[in-house]
Amino acid sequence: MPQREVCPKGYSQVPQATDQEASVHLRSSTKSKSAFDFTFEAIRPNLFRATFASTEHPIPPYPSVTKPEINLQGANVFTKEGPSSKTIDVAGVTASIDWEYTPVVKLSWIGSEKPLHKDLSLRSYIVDGEGVANYSVHDRECLHVGLGEKAAPMDLTGRQFQLSATDSFGYDVYNTDPLYKHIPLLIKASAEGCVAIFSTTHSRGLWSVGAEIDGLWGHFKVYRQDHGGIEQYYIVGKTIKDVVRSYAELVGFPILVPRWAYGYISGGYKYTMLDEPQKAHLALLEFAEKLKQHGIPCSAHQMSSGYSIAETEPKVRNVFTWNRERFPDPQDWIAKMHQYGIRLLTNIKPFLLASHPDFQKLVDAGGFFKDAENQPGYMRLWSAGGATGGDGAHIDFTSAEAFKWWYDGVQSLQKVGIDGMWNDNNEYTLPDDDWTMSLNEPTVADAAAKDVKNSVGLWGRALHTELMGKSSHDALQDMEPKLRPFVLTRSATQDSQAKPPTPGDRHLRNTS
């Protein structure tokens, strides 16, 4: 990996409004190529927000979390300033920022000499090519957990992890990285207390949790972000439970799933290989009858994507279509499954192979990512079975036309009786950071109005995992507003299972 680290220096304070005493705004010397702004502020008694950005390195244009309103009511706030430092005491937590060389954040309990967190002096916030990095002191005696979904053991200390997602089918539980989720939340736990560091970007990156040692710099942790500037939150608590609670308050609590989702949900792939002598739909009805005979309750069945395999060559999966040889009358078959008390979840994938009947329609509508020649971003995609592939393109969910096409497709399945969606293959393993997007979907309108680069790298692949979930969720809810929608998702961001903490939040946080 290329390394082009530059450490901005020569910071000075930027004047702020008088009501922002629990914050600091710094700007680096303009002698460097581009001045960087660093901000730090108390949001809640145990929640702090920091940013490190410039014109060329903007903070995430569509962050996974909307900045909460500052609420320090009832908290004792005390600040103290020096020539190149500021201390903020809030409800038992001391946050100090020293910018003699580079901004160094230190968090501790009031009166304690041992910090819960401290940036690495002289190398705290770094520019690295199109991305940035944040170095901090590593305590080898502490427990580190989080990052969404990572290989065993649970303690992440002394290891390094990619912040990305992929279809890691058949992975080694101790060694494979990355896996399916993109959640850049790292929690450090010690006897003194806990601190979480949470980044709001959907962009790729890396967390080295003490895996690197340097004789000059000692033991350190480093968060490297491939594109843009940093927006991150620090959450302080006595216990991991305290931190997780505050994290949920920040990103939103999980939405309620239907009660039936807590029952046995079956699944199977065999029916996708049954064309003769027994049709697939009959095999599934036979399975439902066996469950009944043996007294096994079953709330729902996860259908793999075999129902959508084309009847004729090329026999590949075409999302939102039905194989009429396997399912001659989908609505009638679904009604019979419902008579057994079994609901149905259909597998849907956010890409179209070139043979899909609507492929050209989405090309004409600008529904796919664009390459350097402004042509659809073709890539090899999973098509029919293990290790089989075909040429096609991923859906760009920032395209209003593609977002609506997906929404309509979900409702087409719902109209014949399908009860929920299974968002599959949604890791968005796009091969090029410089592919561009449409950015005309109303959900991203505010972000698109910002003067930032249009690129997959900066906006982040995981953004489309989230928007895919929103489109699926909205379609289900709009058709049956009195029912709790159920969307199962394979990949996920921090937004994927939560509802907005406030009614005005523009995120949906949609899947179950």
Side-chain angles (χ1 to χ4, degrees):
M1 297 290 290
Q3 185 174 13
R4 298 186 294 275
E5 284 197 0
V6 176
C7 184
K9 296 179 181 178
Y11 284 87
S12 58
Q13 279 206 73
V14 176
Q16 298 186 92
T18 55
D19 62 346
Q20 294 180 309
E21 62 171 343
S23 66
V24 64
H25 183 178
L26 309 174
R27 183 165 295 151
S28 68
S29 169
T30 54
K31 293 180 181 178
S32 57
K33 181 180 178 181
S34 178
F36 269 77
D37 282 81
F38 173 85
T39 68
F40 184 89
E41 57 188 327
I43 303 293
R44 299 285 190 273
N46 71 327
L47 177 67
F48 304 87
R49 174 179 178 264
T51 66
F52 174 67
S54 71
T55 304
E56 290 79 17
H57 293 76
I59 62 174
Y62 190 90
S64 60
V65 169
T66 300
K67 178 186 173 183
E69 291 185 4
I70 296 174
N71 184 0
L72 300 174
Q73 291 184 357
N76 293 321
V77 179
F78 175 78
T79 64
K80 180 181 179 181
E81 290 196 35
S84 59
S85 66
K86 185 168 184 175
T87 300
I88 304 169
D89 288 347
V90 183
V93 179
T94 294
S96 66
I97 306 92
D98 186 308
W99 60 90
E100 183 177 1
Y101 299 104
T102 63
V104 173
V105 173
K106 183 172 73 171
L107 300 170
S108 61
W109 300 117
I110 290 178
S112 173
E113 294 295 323
K114 187 171 183 178
L116 298 169
H117 166 87
K118 184 181 180 183
D119 286 333
L120 194 63
S121 298
L122 303 175
R123 201 185 181 187
S124 53
Y125 289 88
I126 300 292
V127 188
D128 188 357
E130 292 190 36
V132 290
N134 176 212
Y135 287 79
S136 55
V137 176
H138 175 56
D139 188 337
R140 292 175 290 168
E141 302 302 317
C142 293
L143 171 73
H144 293 85
V145 295
L147 300 184
E149 179 186 28
K150 291 300 176 186
M154 183 178 71
D155 187 1
L156 309 181
T157 304
R159 295 189 285 158
Q160 182 170 282
F161 303 94
Q162 295 183 58
L163 298 176
S164 183
T166 190
D167 179 3
S168 48
F169 176 76
Y171 65 85
D172 184 320
V173 69
Y174 288 101
N175 297 303
T176 304
D177 184 69
L179 298 178
Y180 292 100
K181 309 297 186 290
H182 179 103
I183 302 178
L185 167 75
L186 181 70
I187 303 174
K188 169 191 170 184
S190 68
E192 289 75 29
C194 303
V195 174
I197 304 175
F198 167 60
S199 170
T200 67
T201 186
H202 290 105
S203 181
R204 285 176 169 175
L206 179 144
W207 251 115
S208 181
V209 190
E212 305 170 39
I213 303 173
D214 186 291
L216 175 63
W217 300 104
H219 296 276
F220 60 84
K221 301 192 298 285
V222 56
Y223 166 64
R224 297 186 175 101
Q225 186 176 297
D226 288 356
H227 292 270
I230 285 177
E231 178 188 42
Q232 62 187 17
Y233 290 87
Y234 298 94
I235 307 171
V236 181
K238 291 289 186 181
T239 65
I240 291 180
K241 180 180 178 180
D242 295 338
V243 168
V244 171
R245 170 76 190 198
S246 295
Y247 169 71
E249 290 172 346
L250 174 64
V251 303
F253 289 92
I255 61 174
L256 292 173
V257 300
R259 288 187 178 182
W260 57 259
Y262 292 99
Y264 167 50
I265 299 179
S266 64
Y269 197 73
K270 184 178 179 180
Y271 88 89
T272 67
M273 297 173 276
L274 296 177
D275 290 319
E276 296 294 345
Q278 185 184 42
K279 299 295 185 182
H281 71 288
L282 296 176
L284 288 169
L285 287 172
E286 183 181 276
F287 170 68
E289 180 62 29
K290 285 182 178 179
L291 290 173
K292 180 180 178 181
Q293 290 174 4
H294 291 281
I296 301 173
C298 180
S299 293
H301 182 80
Q302 297 183 66
M303 298 176 65
S304 67
S305 51
Y307 72 94
S308 63
I309 292 179
E311 299 98 327
T312 58
E313 295 294 342
K315 292 187 176 183
V316 296
R317 285 156 173 78
N318 292 324
V319 66
F320 301 134
T321 68
W322 286 89
N323 181 316
R324 294 291 175 162
E325 291 183 1
R326 294 178 175 180
F327 296 88
D329 188 340
Q331 192 164 3
D332 178 70
W333 170 75
I334 292 168
K336 290 176 179 176
M337 292 292 284
H338 283 169
Q339 289 174 7
Y340 284 99
I342 298 175
R343 297 163 184 83
L344 293 162
L345 312 175
T346 44
N347 181 296
I348 48 179
K349 306 178 189 298
F351 54 74
L352 275 67
L353 294 159
S355 58
H356 192 288
D358 280 353
F359 186 84
Q360 190 58 46
K361 177 181 179 180
L362 280 179
V363 169
D364 296 340
F368 298 125
F369 297 91
K370 299 292 181 60
D371 63 17
E373 280 73 45
N374 203 35
Q375 296 299 311
Y378 284 91
M379 59 182 291
R380 200 69 177 167
L381 296 166
W382 197 77
S383 62
T388 63
D391 290 335
H394 268 87
I395 294 170
D396 169 16
F397 277 96
T398 74
S399 160
E401 294 79 6
F403 190 97
K404 182 62 164 56
W405 180 86
W406 186 267
Y407 174 102
D408 291 342
V410 169
Q411 290 198 340
S412 73
L413 294 173
Q414 195 176 11
K415 286 174 183 176
V416 297
I418 294 298
D419 302 279
M421 298 298 140
W422 173 7
N423 284 4
D424 197 18
N425 292 83
N426 53 346
E427 293 78 27
Y428 271 84
T429 53
L430 306 179
D432 194 334
D433 283 348
D434 289 331
W435 279 4
T436 59
M437 301 163 290
S438 293
L439 299 178
N440 63 352
E441 159 56 29
T443 308
V444 300
D446 290 345
K450 301 174 184 177
D451 185 19
V452 297
K453 182 180 179 181
N454 178 355
S455 73
V456 165
L458 176 62
W459 287 71
R461 292 159 174 80
L463 164 64
H464 299 272
T465 304
E466 181 179 320
L467 294 180
M468 175 190 178
K470 173 174 169 55
S471 185
S472 296
H473 174 281
D474 286 3
L476 292 173
Q477 189 168 62
D478 290 349
M479 182 168 283
E480 296 186 282
K482 293 184 179 180
L483 297 181
R484 295 177 186 171
F486 187 74
V487 182
L488 187 70
T489 184
R490 189 170 82 178
S491 187
T493 68
Q494 48 271 24
D495 268 358
S496 295
Q497 292 182 301
K499 64 182 179 182
T502 61
D505 194 335
R506 90 286 193 269
H507 289 308
L508 184 66
R509 302 184 175 98
N510 37 53
T511 51
S512 305

